Amino acid sequence: MEEAPFVLLLGGTAEASVLARRLRTTRPDIQLLLSLAGRTKAPALPDGVETRIGGFGGAAGLARFMREHGVTRLLDTTHPYAVGMSRNAGEAARLAGIPRATFLRAPWEPVDGDRWQEVACLRTARDALPSGARPFLALGSQHIAPFRHRPDLCPVLRQVDAPAEPLPFAATLVTGKPSQDVAEEAELFREHGITHLVCRNSGGARGYAKIAAARNLQLPVILIQRPPEPDGPILRDLDAALSWLTSPS
């Protein structure tokens, strides 16, 4: 008798949890494991889905994990900017000899009223800010280090959890998840006297309120462009991802 498929989802996006719930509902015969890196102390986990927290030890460790646990299909649903994890996923799938695809949600596109300046990387985002600016850095704690070289700035940072270590430079810290309400995001920007928004083009509905709030307030947005897409199949929507996961090997 053929063994049931075993799907490993590398999470890190809201879509990963949605996809896990849909797969659990539509194909309960498929063994499913959702893996999260553990950057957030209390992530929102989908009910009824087996979850693991933490890294694997690079591509070789991930390949070993998949071989030892009998994983038959790997879907990378990590953040669009998680270049290292996506690279490891591709190499691990090759080493383990299993199919792998990447889910990538569509990037945001500018509309009338947006004041975007698209830049290639964090350093160019930092250098694009005028002297004395008060930017809102919606970047995550692991991406703020380059801004320590701009002591003329008065940045405001938002992080989901309070940092365990002191910030690497003087800044105002806002803790908590981004609001999906445009008015709430706009009020936050007004309250802190924000002059610029700095963020990555992550795409998706959940993080878009800050973009719309900046538009409403006519704030310039320094937008870091996406990295090159990984090799292999790219799935652009949840239906395509679910179809790939449930199709015969």
Side-chain angles (χ1 to χ4, degrees):
M1 183 176 180
E2 185 177 353
E3 292 185 7
F6 186 171
V7 168
L8 175 61
L9 293 182
L10 301 180
T13 59
E15 289 84 357
S17 293
V18 173
L19 187 58
R21 285 194 294 268
R22 288 183 60 180
L23 187 62
R24 173 57 58 239
T25 300
T26 60
R27 289 293 303 273
D29 59 305
I30 292 180
Q31 188 175 355
L32 171 62
L33 177 63
L34 174 63
S35 178
L36 302 174
R39 296 192 187 280
T40 302
K41 291 180 181 177
L45 302 176
D47 292 337
V49 175
E50 184 181 358
T51 307
R52 74 176 296 278
I53 306 292
F56 293 94
L62 176 55
R64 182 169 54 253
F65 177 92
M66 292 191 294
R67 286 193 297 263
E68 291 175 351
H69 291 79
V71 172
T72 58
R73 190 160 292 202
L74 173 65
L75 181 61
D76 176 8
T77 57
T78 58
H79 195 274
Y81 289 76
V83 176
M85 189 66 242
S86 290
R87 183 170 55 247
N88 286 345
E91 177 63 11
R94 185 191 68 81
L95 292 172
I98 65 168
R100 160 256 184 182
T102 303
F103 171 82
L104 280 180
R105 59 196 180 201
W108 298 315
E109 298 291 342
V111 300
D112 289 344
D114 282 328
R115 299 175 61 193
W116 288 8
Q117 179 180 350
E118 297 188 70
V119 298
C121 64
L122 288 166
R123 289 188 178 89
T124 50
R126 173 200 65 197
D127 295 342
L129 292 165
S131 179
R134 186 164 175 79
F136 189 88
L137 306 182
L139 296 171
S141 60
Q142 67 272 34
H143 303 294
I144 61 174
F147 292 88
R148 71 183 185 276
H149 300 294
R150 286 290 306 272
D152 61 298
L153 301 176
C154 302
V156 177
L157 312 180
R158 175 162 59 198
Q159 299 181 12
V160 175
D161 301 308
E165 302 292 335
L167 295 174
F169 51 80
T172 299
L173 179 65
V174 175
T175 57
K177 293 183 179 180
S179 174
Q180 297 186 58
D181 185 279
V182 176
E184 290 183 3
E185 292 288 85
E187 178 57 31
L188 179 66
F189 292 169
R190 281 193 293 263
E191 176 186 342
H192 289 281
I194 299 303
T195 61
H196 297 73
L197 171 63
V198 181
C199 64
R200 299 173 295 175
N201 194 341
S202 301
R206 184 161 294 189
Y208 188 71
K210 61 179 176 289
I211 298 291
R215 180 192 312 129
N216 292 350
L217 296 175
Q218 299 184 311
L219 297 179
V221 178
I222 311 298
L223 196 67
I224 300 166
Q225 296 170 337
R226 285 195 176 186
E229 294 184 352
D231 295 332
I234 303 293
L235 309 172
R236 307 288 181 180
D237 60 66
L238 291 176
D239 287 340
L242 190 64
S243 177
W244 183 83
L245 287 171
T246 57
S247 63
S249 299

